[in-house]
Every structure is written in structure tokens, then in C-alpha cells.
Amino acid sequence: MTLTEVVLASFSDYPLAVIVILAAIIGTEPVLFFTFLAGANKEGPSFWTIYFLTFITLLAMDGVYYLIGKTDFIKKITPKKLKKKRYAQIINSINIQTKNNLLVIHIISKFIYGFRQAMSIYFGYHRISYKEYLKKDLIALFIFLSIML
């Protein structure tokens, strides 16, 4: 059975799987709820189905935020004052705490509400290569979902 057949079978057998994907787009908190449902419900999607769908959806959403950060639109909406003093203070404090390790920054950003999206845009804004971003995002998502689910 191919991966496509497994995913399509999950959608047809479990309409809850579609809801899990939509919940992962909204945020990770509803996914925790569906994980508890998977443990209590023998007829719904399994834990691994929820884990896989959440992983793929969060990876896709992080990629979208990264690509938003790559656009010139972000440069246009960033206020000049924020670029100077306040922005520098925030970035310096993050770099001091993490010793400028992008993987550590990526992992920490997964656990802080609303910070995941901001850091994905930040990585795109500062022109980090997509391959490097994808490697760090895969590792960070695996660690995040292993701990949270």
C-alpha cells in the first residue's frame, strides 16, 4: 500500500483525520485534544495517524511562514524604529541565550505560543537557505511532537 493510499484511506475511514489537519493549521493545542480522543476511542484514528498528519501539516505551515518571510512584503511592513533599537535588543537576547545556535532557537520556538510562526518568518527574512531551514524544522518538529504527544 502506498503512502497516498494510506492517507486517502484515513480520510475516508476517519473524517476526524481531516479535522486533525485543520486543527494543526490553527494551532497545536487542538491536536492535543485529538490525541486524548485517539487514546480513548477505539474507532477513531490511531495515535500514529494523528502524529503523522500533525507532523506533515505543521511542516507545511512552517514552510508557508518561511516563504512569507522571504517576500519583500515583510520588509515593507517592518517599521523603521523596530528595525533599529527594539528589534536589535530582542535578537541579541535570543542569540545570547542560545549562543546563536539556530537549532536550539528552532526547538525553543516550537514550545512558546505564537513564537513558532514568528521565528519561521524571521528565518525566511534573514535569508537562511531553505535546505538548512528544512533540516532544522524536521528535527525541531520531531522533538516537539515527541514531547507534546
Side-chain angles (χ1 to χ4, degrees):
M1 199 175 227
T2 65
L3 179 63
T4 308
E5 292 171 348
V6 171
V7 171
L8 290 176
S10 296
F11 289 153
S12 62
D13 293 342
Y14 308 115
L16 186 60
V18 176
I19 298 171
V20 169
I21 290 175
L22 294 175
I25 290 172
I26 295 169
T28 54
E29 293 79 14
V31 173
L32 295 174
F33 174 72
F34 289 116
T35 306
F36 292 125
L37 284 180
N41 186 6
K42 302 297 182 202
E43 297 176 12
S46 69
F47 168 79
W48 294 110
T49 304
I50 291 174
Y51 186 92
F52 175 74
L53 292 175
T54 303
F55 186 83
I56 296 299
T57 306
L58 290 178
L59 187 64
M61 291 306 297
D62 286 348
V64 168
Y65 290 122
Y66 174 83
L67 292 175
I68 289 171
K70 283 274 208 201
T71 63
D72 291 332
F73 175 72
I74 295 298
K75 289 181 182 177
K76 291 178 184 175
I77 65 169
T78 306
K80 299 286 185 200
K81 290 181 183 178
L82 181 65
K83 284 183 181 179
K84 293 180 182 175
K85 191 175 184 180
R86 179 94 169 149
Y87 181 74
Q89 290 173 346
I90 293 170
I91 298 304
N92 285 337
S93 67
I94 290 172
N95 288 337
I96 289 170
Q97 296 297 322
T98 61
K99 295 181 177 57
N100 207 16
N101 186 341
L102 294 180
L103 182 60
V104 173
I105 294 170
H106 217 80
I107 292 170
I108 291 171
S109 74
K110 301 294 180 198
F111 290 96
I112 300 173
Y113 184 76
F115 203 56
R116 178 177 62 91
Q117 297 88 351
M119 287 310 295
S120 294
I121 292 172
Y122 170 79
F123 288 137
Y125 181 75
H126 286 284
R127 309 289 189 220
I128 294 171
S129 73
Y130 190 71
K131 285 184 180 181
E132 181 182 354
Y133 174 78
L134 186 61
K135 284 192 294 188
K136 291 182 184 347
D137 198 34
L138 285 170
I139 294 168
L141 275 175
F142 178 75
I143 292 170
F144 172 70
L145 289 176
S146 297
I147 291 172
M148 293 302 288
L149 299 181

